[in-house]
């Protein structure tokens, strides 16, 4: 088709595109139905989850009554149930090859289980059981070797073949809530302790590298799967902090939006976004480079969300909460599932580009960012805004009526850091 690209011949190009962008944004909000299904079957709150490294449709979950369930997401049903521990299942992780998985519980044991169910007539037995001296609160497996790490009073690194740890790492005396291996630089570990520390270890040196002390306790951390040195920490002070481990003096970004303690965080496989679970009964999706969330998910029945996972195909999010359900959400709320016709795909790409082109226009921005929130969260956000404003006003007044330079300006990033110890 011969086309004349002279803009003078298309005098209404921008208004026409603007109208299309506005309609596309409105339709996106109309079709935003992120909740897919809930997997029910647990008889107590879901405390931890693990992804299968090789199978997209397999996910594992552990509950507060010591029960572990393996789910098939395609059929949305439970494939297998194991009574793994007495008391809580504190942590679980899968082996990098996907043939077995590990669980730790309140009964001071570390157990290794086969991923496949027992044969006909066989008992449901763990492959190995290690009885420890203290309660373990978390576990994570190395991404390439037959090595795993547990945490409790200290960080222990175990060889799968041995019943005693290869080395124990400790810095200060306190209980450690979670430990995570770096997926790229696989010999690095990060851990969060209840004395408000985030400690980084090097497995090759068998010593801690450095630690950063924050104002409040960090519940867990997650490494970025695409950038070797970047990790995000979920904190009790309602915020998430993205750090570069080479420069811990201030976080790269402070992510604010939750109105209660953040309990879990997990990165998308692209490393561009992460999802956080909070005590305020909602989960939020944050872009790594933005301070505020792009999406918030909640349902009427969902209680405090304890654990959250982003599936390896970047399409879905799983969250486990207090009221015994695991919920399956779309990572992109208005995405159409199933096979798309070529024309549909082209129309969607066109609309997406239009929305990006006009995203800062006030009307389009208002529609795209609007979310309905539960009344409790809405009121708390309002309250916190007033408190933040009052604190800011007080600081400005103090600076105004003090000797110049005596009340320093502290940036939001540095406010929450107490010290960095090397």
């Amino acid at each position: 088709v011969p086309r004349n690209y002279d803009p003078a011949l298309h005098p209404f190009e921008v208004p026409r595109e603007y109208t299309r962008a506005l309609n596309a944004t409105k339709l996106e909000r109309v079709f935003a139905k992120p909740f897919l299904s809930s997997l029910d079957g647990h008889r107590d709150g879901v405390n931890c989850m693990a992804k299968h490294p090789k199978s997209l449709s397999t996910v594992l979950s552990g509950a507060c009554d010591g029960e572990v369930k393996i789910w098939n997401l395609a059929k949305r049903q439970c494939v297998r149930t194991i009574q793994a521990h007495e008391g809580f299942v504190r942590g679980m992780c899968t082996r990098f090859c996907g043939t077995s998985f590990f669980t730790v519980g309140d009964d001071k044991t570390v157990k290794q289980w086969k991923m496949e169910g027992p044969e006909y007539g066989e008992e449901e037995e763990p492959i190995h059981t290690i009885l420890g001296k203290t309660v373990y609160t978390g576990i994570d497996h190395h991404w390439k070797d037959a090595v795993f790490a547990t945490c409790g009073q200290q960080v222990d690194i175990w060889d799968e073949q041995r019943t005693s740890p290869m080395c124990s790492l400790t810095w200060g005396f306190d209980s450690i809530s979670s430990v995570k291996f770096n997926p790229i630089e696989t010999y690095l570990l990060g851990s969060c302790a209840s004395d408000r520390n985030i400690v980084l270890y090097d497995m090759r040196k068998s010593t801690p590298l450095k630690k950063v002390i924050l104002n409040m306790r960090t519940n867990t951390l997650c490494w970025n799967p695409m950038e070797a040195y970047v990790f995000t920490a979920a904190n009790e002070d309602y915020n998430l902090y993205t750090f570069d481990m080479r420069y811990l003096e201030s976080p790269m970004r402070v992510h604010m939006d939750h109105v209660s303690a953040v309990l879990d965080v997990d990165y998308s496989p692209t490393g561009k976004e992460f999802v956080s679970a909070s005590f305020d009964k909602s989960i939020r999706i944050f872009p790594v480079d933005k301070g505020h969330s792009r999406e918030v998910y909640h349902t009427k029945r969902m209680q405090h969300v304890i654990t959250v996972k982003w599936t390896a195909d970047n399409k879905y999010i799983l969250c486990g909460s207090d009221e015994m359900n695991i919920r399956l959400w779309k990572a992109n709320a208005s995405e159409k599932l199933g096979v798309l016709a070529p024309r549909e795909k082209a129309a969607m790409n066109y609309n997406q580009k239009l929305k990006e082109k006009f995203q800062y226009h006030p009307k389009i921005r208002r529609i795209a960012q609007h979310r309905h929130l539960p009344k409790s969260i809405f009121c708390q956000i309002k309250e916190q805004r007033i408190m933040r404003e009052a604190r800011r006003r007080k600081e400005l007044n103090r600076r105004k009526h003090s000797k110049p330079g005596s009340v320093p300006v502290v940036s939001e990033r540095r406010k929450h850091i107490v010290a960095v110890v090397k």
Side-chain angles (χ1 to χ4, degrees):
V1 179
R3 276 185 66 186
N4 192 334
Y5 285 103
D6 181 9
L9 297 180
H10 292 279
F12 299 120
E13 182 186 23
V14 174
R16 195 183 296 149
E17 281 192 346
Y18 171 72
T19 309
R20 285 178 187 169
L22 188 63
N23 289 341
T25 310
K26 286 177 181 173
L27 282 175
E28 182 190 46
R29 296 316 312 143
V30 168
F31 291 127
K33 295 192 168 49
F35 180 68
L36 291 173
S37 77
S38 101
L39 312 172
D40 46 349
H42 276 295
R43 291 170 299 188
D44 209 333
V46 182
N47 199 40
C48 54
M49 288 197 297
K51 294 183 282 196
H52 194 292
K54 299 284 172 75
S55 158
L56 281 177
S57 60
T58 309
V59 70
L60 303 94
S61 63
C64 298
D65 57 355
E67 200 172 60
V68 170
K69 281 184 182 287
I70 299 177
W71 304 87
N72 184 331
L73 293 183
K75 296 178 182 169
R76 296 181 192 174
Q77 64 189 38
C78 176
V79 186
R80 183 165 154 228
T81 306
I82 307 164
Q83 186 58 45
H85 294 277
E86 305 288 324
F88 283 42
V89 180
R90 285 291 172 192
M92 59 196 310
C93 66
T94 50
R95 202 169 184 277
F96 58 90
C97 60
T99 52
S100 62
F101 63 94
F102 295 83
T103 59
V104 293
D106 275 355
D107 51 6
K108 302 184 183 177
T109 56
V110 182
K111 293 184 181 179
Q112 183 182 3
W113 306 83
K114 272 189 192 155
M115 195 64 81
E116 301 300 321
E119 299 294 323
Y120 179 71
E122 267 186 7
E123 288 291 311
E124 185 75 84
E125 290 282 314
I127 309 171
H128 298 300
T129 304
I130 300 168
L131 186 59
K133 296 185 178 71
T134 57
V135 173
Y136 297 113
T137 52
I139 184 168
D140 197 31
H141 201 285
H142 195 283
W143 289 78
K144 289 185 180 139
D145 301 338
V147 172
F148 64 92
T150 59
C151 61
Q153 285 186 355
Q154 61 200 20
V155 172
D156 292 326
I157 294 173
W158 307 74
D159 192 303
E160 282 180 16
Q161 309 303 325
R162 293 165 57 177
T163 55
S164 56
M166 293 196 300
C167 68
S168 297
L169 308 163
T170 178
W171 192 350
F173 298 94
D174 222 309
S175 57
I176 295 163
S177 56
S178 85
V179 61
K180 290 281 164 74
F181 273 102
N182 190 323
I184 304 169
E185 304 288 350
T186 49
Y187 46 82
L188 289 176
L189 303 99
S191 75
C192 311
S194 58
D195 56 356
R196 307 172 305 168
N197 290 346
I198 301 172
V199 189
L200 302 172
Y201 307 94
D202 191 332
M203 214 169 70
R204 301 167 301 180
K205 290 204 305 195
S206 312
T207 55
L209 289 174
K210 46 185 167 179
K211 70 175 170 183
V212 56
I213 306 168
L214 282 86
N215 272 334
M216 287 181 81
R217 195 182 64 173
T218 302
N219 287 315
T220 184
L221 59 87
C222 186
W223 293 92
N224 189 326
M226 287 293 165
E227 297 186 47
Y229 302 112
V230 177
F231 65 90
T232 296
N235 205 285
E236 283 281 321
D237 64 0
Y238 316 167
N239 297 342
L240 294 113
Y241 301 99
T242 299
F243 284 97
D244 186 324
M245 65 168 279
R246 296 164 295 186
Y247 182 74
L248 291 174
E249 277 71 25
S250 80
M252 289 160 61
R253 184 74 61 183
V254 180
H255 308 274
M256 317 166 129
D257 260 347
H258 280 295
V259 291
S260 195
V262 190
L263 300 180
D264 200 10
V265 58
D266 192 38
Y267 263 93
S268 74
T270 58
K272 297 252 178 71
E273 295 180 317
F274 59 84
V275 58
S276 63
S278 170
F279 200 74
D280 63 13
K281 310 179 188 178
S282 70
I283 62 176
R284 286 181 183 266
I285 301 171
F286 291 87
V288 171
D289 53 351
K290 299 270 193 308
H292 293 283
S293 60
R294 73 161 170 86
E295 201 64 80
V296 53
Y297 293 161
H298 53 86
T299 65
K300 271 189 179 155
R301 276 201 56 197
M302 188 154 80
Q303 294 302 311
H304 313 306
V305 193
I306 299 170
T307 172
V308 71
K309 284 277 178 268
W310 198 309
T311 58
D313 62 348
N314 200 27
K315 272 191 186 300
Y316 306 104
I317 287 167
L318 290 147
C319 69
S321 49
D322 253 0
E323 80 317 318
M324 309 183 271
N325 280 1
I326 296 167
R327 287 183 174 78
L328 183 64
W329 308 84
K330 285 192 270 193
N332 184 358
S334 57
E335 184 182 20
K336 188 181 174 195
L337 299 178
V339 182
L340 293 180
R343 280 182 67 181
E344 259 181 318
K345 207 177 272 183
M348 277 172 58
N349 290 341
Y350 176 59
N351 285 344
Q352 187 58 38
K353 282 285 171 243
L354 283 180
K355 283 183 291 197
E356 281 171 25
K357 183 175 176 181
F358 292 97
Q359 63 184 337
Y360 297 113
H361 195 283
K363 204 168 177 186
I364 288 180
R365 189 174 177 177
R366 184 183 64 80
I367 294 168
Q369 289 188 348
H370 182 260
R371 298 287 179 277
H372 283 292
L373 290 168
K375 192 177 176 185
S376 59
I377 295 179
F378 185 77
C379 294
Q380 277 175 290
I381 288 175
K382 213 159 145 189
E383 199 177 296
Q384 279 175 18
R385 195 180 296 133
I386 294 166
M387 284 158 65
R388 248 201 319 274
E389 191 50 45
R391 277 201 295 269
R392 195 180 72 86
R393 218 169 34 244
K394 182 178 176 181
E395 196 180 315
L396 284 173
N397 288 342
R398 278 184 58 200
R399 194 170 294 124
K400 206 179 349 182
H401 298 291
S402 304
K403 199 169 83 175
S406 61
V407 182
V409 179
V410 184
S411 71
E412 184 61 48
R413 292 182 187 185
R414 288 182 184 269
K415 252 180 216 168
H416 309 279
I417 308 289
V418 177
V420 177
V421 188
K422 301 224 170 140

